[in-house]
Amino acid sequence: MYELNGKVAIITGGSRGIGKGIATVMAKQGAKIAIADLLKDEAEKTVAELNSSGGTAMAVRTDICDFDQVKSMVSQVKEKFGSVDILVNNAGWDKMIPFDKTDPALWNKIIDINYKGVLNCVFCVMEQMKAQNYGKIINIASDAGRVGSSGEAVYAGTKGAVISFSKSMARELAKYQINVNVICPGPTNTPLVAEMKQDSEFNNKVLSSMEKIIPLKRMGVPEDIAYAVTFLSSKESDFITGQVLSVSGGLTMAG
């Protein structure tokens, strides 16, 4: 695997699911892990697991929709670990529902978490990264943002925005040797997906059929995403920026 010894990584939403998978794999490669998550108890439990396995990790309860909380979180990480070298914007949320059944309050929640949260985190780490002339930013979007998804119109829109924003930041930050890339997971077995299945029969029908239409005939697991993130966090990816990588078992394929 790719060596991350001494690097400091902030992972939003790192307490469970894909975020926990990313934290676990990166910690094994030597990165110091800071989990920024609203789920304080789950984050602390994940940190305890990482530390007991020989890793170095901390947790900071953070609402990524709140700019001041994000700014404070970054300061706490810098105070404890000395720098911020890697940012993984993993935190996200969705409610699978046809657009005509939604309302502005739901739109705002999805936009705040999935898009504005990314803006807050990138803004609060970029000065540190610019000053050290080094950084890796990996934004977790979704294949929904590339090709659309029934019942996820607003979510897909926010993930499309993350993709466009990331490409713009890759251009702006390249002169500081800061790489900005995007990973688009396909359907992945996570606690959020399990909750979505229980929300409605429509959700359960759509999500349960995924294994049949994914060419590799299985849902993703968090480690599938984690290995891709680890590569894009490593020195081996130094000449890769502004790129979008789909990790979906072949469900979507670029032309």
Side-chain angles (χ1 to χ4, degrees), residues 121-252:
C121 292
V122 170
F123 190 90
C124 289
V125 304
M126 56 191 263
E127 290 307 316
Q128 153 82 34
M129 290 182 173
K130 286 164 65 175
Q132 67 193 16
N133 210 47
Y134 175 85
K136 302 277 189 173
I137 297 173
I138 300 95
N139 295 324
I140 307 299
S142 169
D143 267 355
R146 293 179 56 242
V147 301
S149 179
S150 297
E152 298 182 291
V154 181
Y155 175 80
T158 63
K159 294 304 189 176
V162 167
I163 291 170
S164 296
F165 170 71
S166 301
K167 291 181 178 182
S168 299
M169 292 311 301
R171 295 181 183 277
E172 289 190 19
L173 297 175
K175 63 184 176 182
Y176 300 104
Q177 303 303 306
I178 299 170
N179 304 65
V180 185
N181 291 293
V182 181
I183 290 178
C184 289
T188 306
N189 280 317
T190 66
L192 178 59
V193 167
E195 291 165 9
M196 290 169 67
K197 282 184 176 182
Q198 295 174 359
D199 259 358
S200 70
E201 183 58 33
F202 169 77
N203 292 5
N204 186 55
K205 183 178 180 180
V206 171
L207 293 169
S208 296
S209 69
M210 284 298 170
E211 289 188 359
K212 297 177 182 177
I213 61 176
I214 294 171
L216 290 180
K217 299 301 179 187
R218 68 173 177 86
M219 293 272 279
V221 295
E223 289 75 16
D224 293 322
I225 316 304
Y227 294 130
V229 171
T230 303
F231 166 65
L232 290 175
S233 301
S234 71
K235 180 175 177 56
E236 285 81 357
S237 69
D238 281 356
F239 202 54
I240 300 173
T241 197
Q243 302 305 304
V244 180
L245 175 63
S246 175
V247 183
S248 65
L251 180 62
T252 61

Side-chain angles (χ1 to χ4, degrees), residues 40-88:
K40 185 176 183 296
D41 291 343
E42 289 191 42
E44 293 287 1
K45 181 179 177 181
T46 297
V47 164
E49 291 175 10
L50 296 178
N51 288 336
S52 66
S53 298
T56 302
M58 65 180 290
V60 183
R61 186 187 183 281
T62 311
D63 179 355
I64 61 168
C65 302
D66 186 320
F67 181 85
D68 289 334
Q69 286 193 36
V70 173
K71 186 176 180 181
S72 174
M73 176 272 293
V74 172
S75 294
Q76 291 178 62
V77 174
K78 288 167 61 178
E79 182 178 349
K80 184 173 180 65
F81 289 149
S83 68
V84 176
D85 305 302
I86 301 162
L87 169 66
V88 183

Side-chain angles (χ1 to χ4, degrees), residues 8 20 23 26 79 90 112 114-115 120 137 176 180 239 247:
V8 177
K20 182 177 180 179
M26 292 180 72
E79 182 178 349
N90 165 76
D112 285 348
N114 296 316
Y115 186 46
N120 288 338
I137 297 173
Y176 300 104
V180 185
F239 202 54
V247 183

